Amino acid sequence: MSYTAHIDTFARDNLPPRREWPEMLFDLPDLRYPARMNCAVELLDGALLKGWRDRIALRAADGHCTYGQLLAQANRIARVLVEDMGLQPGNRVLLRGPNNPMMAACWFGVFKAGGIVVGTMPLLRAKELTEIIGKAQVTHVLCDKRLQAEVDLAAPACPTLKSIKYWYDDDAGSLDALCAKKPGSFRNVETSADDPALIAFTSGTTGKPKGTVHFHRDVIAMCDCFPRSCLKPAKEDVFCGTPPLAFTFGLGGLLCFPLRFGASTVLLERLTPDGLLEAVHKFRATICFTAPTFYRQMAPLARSHSLKTLKKCVSAGEALPDATRQLFRNATGIEIIDGIGATEMIHIFISHTPDTVRRGATGYAIPGYRATVLNPAGKPCAPGVVGRLAVKGPTGCRYLADERQKVYVQKGWNVTGDAYSMDKDGYFFYQARTDDMIVSAGYNIAGPEVEGSLLAHEAVAEAGVIGVADEERGQIVKAFVVLKLGYQKTDAVVKMLQDHVKSAIAPYKYPRAIEFVDALPRTETGKLQRFKLRTSS
Ligand code: 3UK
């Protein structure tokens, strides 16, 4: 077996068999990494070698810290893990906290000590934590003191746990107190480039959580793909946004990407659309990462904030409706960079630059990745034909001990579960999640297209579209609509919206049922939870 720094080989032992891995592509010269690499050493110790010691790395409500200070803090945390908590390389460490500087330092502390990070979203409950801890055989926990309650509830049912420490905690035995006694240096664990670095659990909306294993090299590869080819950040950039660091969209966009480029990142807890705009203004942010629903809600508020510093905005997590793209551009002058990513792929693999945007498209396979659309026989579809999106590149899906590996990876391709079409120039057009396609009277209808059409109407704040069972047609299209202020939930408005859709897209796609609601159910990552709409119908 090849070199590993892991003494505890649980994660390696529970990788899928090699024959079930996707085909990996390392065509780009930027992606040829040394056999031994630790992603935190590459990002932090590497930053000091580049002369960035005194540059600001993290910005937060109560101050900032430099690359040098972040490195020292990560080293102290690594020491606490090894010297006080008995961490062995390969052990899994659960991290739990809102986006704040200590949470960021913990990620790097675990990497440096050769541990494997299991990030968890702040809103997860004891039941979900117990499942994740059990599945990943978590041994250690580092947690923000304010999120202790659910850990306490979960712990009795988690026999693998050995040691738990809290931060932003006054206790003598807290992570903060232990760190304060340590020197800011650490002998980094020399991991192999393909030693597991993190197990990211999918923010999937149904079924048992799936853990996706990513190696040290994958963390660096995500920094060397989308940011280099589409975002093109500079040292002077200030990143900000909403995705939790436990979501790989946030881990990349709000932590690893800025540090890879010598830039700084604003870490803020629990942001609203208004709060995010305020943060852009206050921190003079230049790059923003968030979900489509945030851009939509920010557009009407944008005029009342000074956003002159903001240059680039990245949207991911779900499809960006063209109506939202237009609304945001009209309000700010910024052409949003859309990108589809997945926890299985660690980050974005289809995207575009502001100059290469094509209306209604997510973009093209970014350098390093290849993408195609497969028909039911597993062959590439002709341009314009809808099929299953399949992708391969320098990163890919490796589920931790999970039969569903064979569903996600087919013939070397990562099959994301999205229905897409591709045009003759290689631009990819999102339709729906494969299992969300609506079939009504023999027609295939993609809910997001109907949502997009509704969102273009001035009365509509938000829309979610699903298929509901119907005796005559099999399914009918049903829309859940949040109206803007000043519009009434009346039959006349129903008729107006139906007529609008009929005139904007093929009439058979119009929502035969419309229900007005005050809000749509969403995940912590901004995704619409269609299954909740289905069960409420
Ligand atoms: C959907 C999109 C259309 C799509 C993610 C960027 O979302 C991320 O990861 P998840 O595992 O979900 C993956 C699924 O979400 N999706 C994401 N982005 C788009 N659909 N247009 C988009 N731009 O169904 C995909 O299969 O939660 C996104 C970076 C890292 C991520 N983990």
Side-chain angles (χ1 to χ4, degrees):
M1 192 157 157
S2 55
Y3 169 82
T4 174
H6 286 182
I7 294 169
D8 171 351
T9 56
F10 167 81
R12 278 195 148 217
D13 298 343
N14 283 283
L15 286 170
R18 280 272 177 167
R19 62 175 184 282
E20 292 179 13
W21 290 23
E23 188 192 336
M24 308 294 280
L25 308 176
F26 298 105
D27 311 342
L28 290 186
D30 282 347
L31 302 177
R32 304 212 178 105
Y33 302 118
R36 293 196 192 181
M37 181 163 78
N38 181 307
C39 61
V41 176
E42 181 73 23
L43 288 171
L44 290 183
D45 302 67
L48 266 68
L49 293 177
K50 292 179 198 154
W52 298 341
R53 177 188 298 269
D54 298 322
R55 292 189 64 81
I56 294 177
L58 308 181
R59 299 171 190 269
D62 54 358
H64 58 249
C65 81
T66 63
Y67 278 81
Q69 289 166 328
L70 176 59
L71 171 66
Q73 184 68 350
N75 286 341
R76 290 186 197 102
I77 293 169
R79 278 184 184 261
V80 172
L81 284 165
V82 175
E83 296 165 11
D84 302 303
M85 297 175 74
L87 183 95
Q88 295 236 309
N91 285 169
R92 277 76 50 214
V93 184
L94 187 110
L95 295 186
R96 187 166 170 66
N99 288 1
N100 59 42
M102 202 53 181
M103 178 74 169
C106 284
W107 274 89
F108 293 121
V110 176
F111 289 151
K112 281 174 158 265
I116 301 175
V117 175
V118 178
T120 57
M121 313 272 183
L123 293 182
L124 291 192
R125 297 286 191 174
K127 173 179 173 292
E128 292 138 324
L129 290 176
T130 307
E131 273 176 10
I132 289 173
I133 291 168
K135 181 94 211 208
Q137 301 274 292
V138 169
T139 48
H140 298 72
V141 177
L142 299 179
C143 177
D144 189 305
K145 182 76 177 169
R146 294 163 293 173
L147 297 177
Q148 179 175 358
E150 297 295 322
V151 175
D152 284 344
L153 284 173
C158 300
T160 56
L161 291 182
K162 289 189 187 140
S163 178
I164 305 177
K165 296 278 174 213
Y166 296 95
W167 75 76
Y168 296 155
D169 178 4
D170 300 328
D171 196 82
S174 72
L175 181 61
D176 321 64
L178 293 171
C179 279
K181 294 191 208 132
K182 304 283 182 194
S185 60
F186 179 69
R187 254 185 78 178
N188 297 308
V189 171
E190 222 188 297
T191 46
S192 151
D194 52 14
D195 274 333
L198 67 142
I199 303 173
F201 279 84
T202 54
S203 59
T205 41
T206 46
K208 281 232 171 290
K210 291 173 275 191
T212 65
V213 182
H214 295 292
F215 300 162
H216 282 268
R217 111 166 97 77
D218 301 323
V219 176
I220 301 302
M222 80 169 161
C223 302
D224 290 343
C225 286
F226 169 76
R228 265 184 219 289
S229 54
C230 298
L231 187 62
K232 303 180 178 151
K235 279 212 294 292
E236 296 68 36
D237 274 313
V238 178
F239 287 60
C240 76
T242 59
L245 297 182
F247 182 28
T248 58
F249 181 41
L251 176 67
L254 296 180
L255 190 59
C256 297
F257 299 174
L259 299 185
R260 183 71 166 162
F261 290 85
S264 69
T265 181
V266 182
L267 294 177
L268 295 169
E269 305 181 359
R270 264 170 266 121
L271 281 170
T272 58
D274 202 44
L276 179 53
L277 287 167
E278 228 175 271
V280 168
H281 173 71
K282 178 170 166 207
F283 293 94
R284 307 182 57 77
T286 59
I287 294 181
C288 175
F289 277 74
T290 191
T293 167
F294 257 68
Y295 287 114
R296 186 161 181 89
Q297 294 173 67
M298 275 154 59
L301 307 171
R303 287 180 213 282
S304 54
H305 290 80
S306 166
L307 304 177
K308 347 186 242 308
T309 55
L310 192 61
K311 288 188 305 206
K312 294 173 191 165
C313 290
V314 179
S315 170
E318 64 177 2
L320 176 70
D322 187 61
T324 301
R325 173 186 288 292
Q326 305 299 336
L327 209 62
F328 193 77
R329 201 192 37 224
N330 290 339
T332 62
I334 296 173
E335 190 74 75
I336 295 174
I337 302 172
D338 189 6
I340 177 172
T343 307
E344 287 82 353
M345 302 301 297
I346 199 168
H347 219 275
I348 291 174
F349 47 87
I350 288 176
S351 185
H352 60 89
T353 66
D355 304 329
T356 55
V357 61
R358 189 165 287 193
R359 253 183 117 152
T362 313
Y364 42 82
I366 65 175
Y369 288 86
R370 233 177 277 161
T372 186
V373 175
L374 300 175
N375 67 17
K379 296 270 170 340
C381 290
V385 177
V386 175
R388 293 174 305 147
L389 180 67
V391 53
K392 53 178 89 159
T395 60
C397 177
R398 303 174 207 101
Y399 287 133
L400 184 77
D402 203 306
E403 277 306 308
R404 289 167 289 187
Q405 178 75 15
K406 293 196 193 73
V407 179
Y408 203 93
V409 177
Q410 296 177 23
K411 296 197 180 128
W413 291 98
N414 298 275
V415 180
T416 64
D418 297 292
Y420 260 87
S421 68
M422 187 186 83
D423 71 10
K424 58 180 188 350
D425 301 326
Y427 276 81
F428 287 83
F429 292 77
Y430 179 77
Q431 311 295 315
R433 291 285 305 167
T434 322
D435 39 13
D436 280 347
M437 289 294 289
I438 303 163
V439 186
S440 185
Y443 287 111
N444 278 319
I445 301 170
E449 186 187 7
V450 184
E451 286 162 14
S453 161
L454 284 164
L455 290 172
H457 193 282
E458 59 182 15
V460 177
E462 285 195 88
V465 168
I466 56 162
V468 294
D470 179 78
E471 237 167 62
E472 196 185 323
R473 295 170 182 274
Q475 281 187 310
I476 59 161
V477 177
K478 175 168 182 183
F480 292 80
V481 171
V482 182
L483 288 172
K484 284 199 186 144
L485 278 177
Y487 289 89
Q488 304 295 320
K489 302 172 174 174
T490 62
D491 290 347
V493 173
V494 168
K495 173 91 173 39
M496 176 174 78
L497 294 177
Q498 288 173 328
D499 288 345
H500 162 78
V501 175
K502 282 186 199 167
S503 66
I505 55 178
Y508 66 84
K509 297 175 182 170
Y510 88 94
R512 284 171 192 271
I514 293 186
E515 183 175 331
F516 296 118
V517 289
D518 295 327
L520 293 177
R522 290 193 182 274
T523 63
E524 212 175 339
T525 57
K527 279 189 217 297
L528 180 60
Q529 294 169 302
R530 291 198 170 74
F531 76 98
K532 285 200 178 156
L533 295 178
R534 274 186 214 112
T535 48
S536 79
S537 284

